[in-house]
Amino acid sequence: MAAHSSCNFALTNPIISQIDSFSKQKQSVPLFFFSTRNPLKALTNPWLGVVDSSLSLTSPVSALQSTRRRIHKSVISSLPTANPDLVVSDAKKPKWSWRAIKSFAMGELEARKLKYPSTGTEALLMGILIEGTSFTSKFLRANKIMLYKVREETIKLLGKADMYFFSPEHPPLTEDAQRALDSAVDQNRKAGGIGEVMPAHILLGIWSEVESPGHKILATLGFTDEKSKELESFASESGFLDE
């Protein structure tokens, strides 16, 4: 009796009847399969209509290769200078070591992390420590001048930046930071221009800017003129400093 009543309910229920008729109609529609490896030919499909034979399906990899742009990479071989006397021909242009260039790039990045609008001597100092593999970086750590200490002293001296401020992609150099880089080139020239300009020359340039934040932070952490002379004595041995 219960089975008979449920059967009558299915026959008299309009919703179930519509679903049943739709499923029968769906089964009557032929299914079309085509390979994605070959170009499409003219197809007549009740759902797709007529497909143009000029269209073809290509793999995502080949489509990506056809639209891929060639990116030309350039390697920076010098750092910015504000001294017109240092703008010379490529043959006489001072060469910066890759560790010095990386230190400069890490300094820019650190300035951005601290949300400062410019790259100062304190950022160049942190860049030398972040680079980490140069003789100068090891010399600073041996004298208990660590990255976290420099960062703490920087915030004490310059304060925290506004949390809603966003630094530019390449924060411009401050005047004392620019003079520190020019001083690094001068020191290399005084030594006869032998070898490359290295992180040691950048550090000595920072130390020469007495009123700069970088010099003040170094002095606070125990860096002295004697240690500067010790580092300068090694600066003449260009090959040794970057080992």
Side-chain angles (χ1 to χ4, degrees):
M1 183 67 180
H4 180 71
S5 62
S6 63
C7 180
N8 292 335
F9 176 76
L11 294 174
T12 58
N13 193 327
I15 298 177
I16 296 178
S17 300
Q18 291 177 2
I19 294 174
D20 186 41
S21 62
F22 178 76
S23 62
K24 292 179 179 179
Q25 182 182 1
K26 187 175 180 182
Q27 291 176 359
S28 64
V29 176
L31 298 178
F32 293 87
F33 298 94
F34 50 86
S35 173
T36 59
R37 295 179 180 271
N38 300 322
L40 287 177
K41 298 182 179 180
L43 298 176
T44 55
N45 189 301
W47 300 102
L48 299 177
V50 179
V51 181
D52 189 1
S53 60
S54 62
L55 298 178
S56 62
L57 292 180
T58 57
S59 64
V61 176
S62 61
L64 179 62
Q65 290 176 349
S66 62
T67 58
R68 181 178 296 169
R69 295 182 302 169
R70 292 183 178 181
I71 301 175
H72 300 281
K73 297 182 180 180
S74 59
V75 179
I76 301 174
S77 60
S78 62
L79 297 182
T81 177
N83 189 351
D85 296 335
L86 298 180
V87 181
V88 294
S89 63
D90 292 339
K92 297 182 180 180
K93 185 179 295 184
K95 295 181 180 179
W96 294 80
S97 69
W98 68 267
R99 286 184 172 90
I101 295 173
K102 186 177 179 180
S103 298
F104 175 79
M106 292 297 100
E108 275 191 338
L109 182 60
E110 192 64 21
R112 291 186 63 193
K113 286 182 179 180
L114 294 175
K115 295 183 179 294
Y116 287 159
S118 56
T119 303
T121 53
E122 74 289 340
L124 296 179
L125 176 59
M126 286 185 281
I128 294 173
L129 289 167
I130 294 172
E131 189 278 325
T133 64
S134 66
F135 172 84
T136 307
S137 177
K138 298 174 184 177
F139 180 83
L140 290 172
R141 292 198 299 269
N143 286 277
K144 309 300 181 184
I145 300 177
M146 306 295 182
L147 174 61
Y148 74 93
K149 292 182 180 179
V150 175
R151 190 180 286 119
E152 289 176 356
E153 293 297 327
T154 298
I155 295 175
K156 288 180 184 179
L157 186 62
L158 302 179
K160 285 187 177 182
D162 185 359
M163 63 179 298
Y164 298 105
F165 175 79
F166 291 95
S167 299
E169 183 178 0
H170 297 287
L173 289 168
T174 60
E175 293 183 1
D176 50 11
Q178 184 64 76
R179 288 194 299 268
L181 293 181
D182 293 339
S183 176
V185 176
D186 289 337
Q187 291 174 24
N188 179 260
R189 284 187 170 183
K190 290 177 181 177
I194 301 174
E196 298 172 319
V197 183
M198 294 167 298
H201 298 112
I202 297 178
L203 183 63
L204 294 174
I206 295 171
W207 185 249
S208 66
E209 293 296 319
V210 181
E211 297 299 326
S212 68
H215 179 98
K216 294 177 181 178
I217 292 170
L218 283 170
T220 302
L221 297 177
F223 196 82
T224 60
D225 289 332
E226 288 73 17
K227 293 179 180 178
S228 173
K229 292 177 181 179
E230 181 181 354
L231 182 63
E232 189 174 2
S233 65
F234 287 111
S236 57
E237 303 175 13
S238 303
F240 173 72
L241 282 177
D242 256 3
E243 286 183 353

